[in-house]
Amino acid sequence: MCRMFKWTIAAWCAIGMFPPAAIAGCDAVLIASVKNRFPDWVIVTQRNYSQDEHGHITELHPSDCAGIVQGNFESKSSHGFAMIISKGFPDGTHEMLLVASPDRGHYKISVLDESSGLFSLSRVSKLPAGEYESSDGRTFSVRGESIVYEGSGTGARLFFFERGKYRSESIRD
């Protein structure tokens, strides 16, 4: 994987551009894995969001790209990616939240969530290990980095790796 990948994501997102060809130049295996499994889908980038959404995303997550985030989701030594892929936008968007984990020179891709009929695209970001409160008031602990998947007006879900699989909790109403 390209050593400058994390910096490159931040730079492309900062200027509102995140071309798939540029991702492929840095990590062709990741892009090929996604395109092979989901040929009619695109990785969501800053360019896919409306101007209003782009401003809101930048305000909430100034250093993140809204459609893809890199993190140590499964272990401290495993650098994976969480990403949103979509088809059908701008009308009746269908999207999926994926996690791509390195696996012997390839990526194992898992679908964490799937939504359809959306009027706006969701966003993905990450949170560090810590204690969090669910939407129903329960406190729970997360031992590693977690994935935040939030939709416009639909709240957020926190996905975290625990005991060999991904679990999720709703964290906002």
Side-chain angles (χ1 to χ4, degrees):
M1 183 181 315
C2 177
R3 291 177 189 233
M4 298 299 289
F5 191 69
K6 189 172 184 176
W7 178 86
T8 306
I9 289 174
W12 283 323
C13 289
I15 60 173
M17 300 192 61
F18 195 54
I23 301 169
C26 192
D27 193 343
V29 175
L30 173 62
I31 298 306
S33 296
V34 173
K35 292 291 183 190
N36 258 351
R37 184 152 173 210
F38 306 100
D40 298 329
W41 296 69
V42 296
I43 296 172
V44 172
T45 69
Q46 296 290 64
R47 293 183 295 181
N48 301 120
Y49 294 93
S50 71
Q51 195 66 15
D52 289 342
E53 288 174 316
H54 189 276
H56 180 68
I57 291 163
T58 303
E59 181 182 313
L60 290 176
H61 308 287
S63 62
D64 292 341
C65 186
I68 186 168
V69 64
Q70 182 180 15
N72 302 94
F73 305 121
E74 295 184 9
S75 73
K76 289 181 181 181
S77 62
S78 175
H79 301 288
F81 295 89
M83 67 186 74
I84 298 171
I85 62 171
S86 181
K87 69 177 180 177
F89 59 86
D91 301 317
T93 299
H94 187 88
E95 71 179 26
M96 285 190 260
L97 173 63
L98 307 179
V99 66
S101 308
D103 184 30
R104 296 178 296 237
H106 298 283
Y107 284 92
K108 177 183 77 175
I109 297 175
S110 302
V111 176
L112 297 182
D113 195 58
E114 190 170 351
S115 302
S116 61
L118 303 172
F119 295 108
S120 63
L121 293 167
S122 300
R123 296 163 296 284
V124 67
S125 58
K126 68 179 177 180
L127 287 174
E131 295 240 331
Y132 296 97
E133 188 174 324
S134 68
S135 59
D136 62 6
R138 289 179 295 106
T139 301
F140 62 97
S141 295
V142 176
R143 295 180 192 201
E145 289 184 321
S146 56
I147 301 162
V148 180
Y149 183 51
E150 66 186 308
S152 183
T154 62
R157 289 185 41 211
L158 188 69
F159 288 86
F160 53 98
F161 198 73
E162 182 178 83
R163 295 185 199 124
K165 65 181 182 176
Y166 280 93
R167 299 179 40 141
S168 71
E169 287 280 349
S170 178
I171 56 172
R172 285 190 207 132
D173 290 330

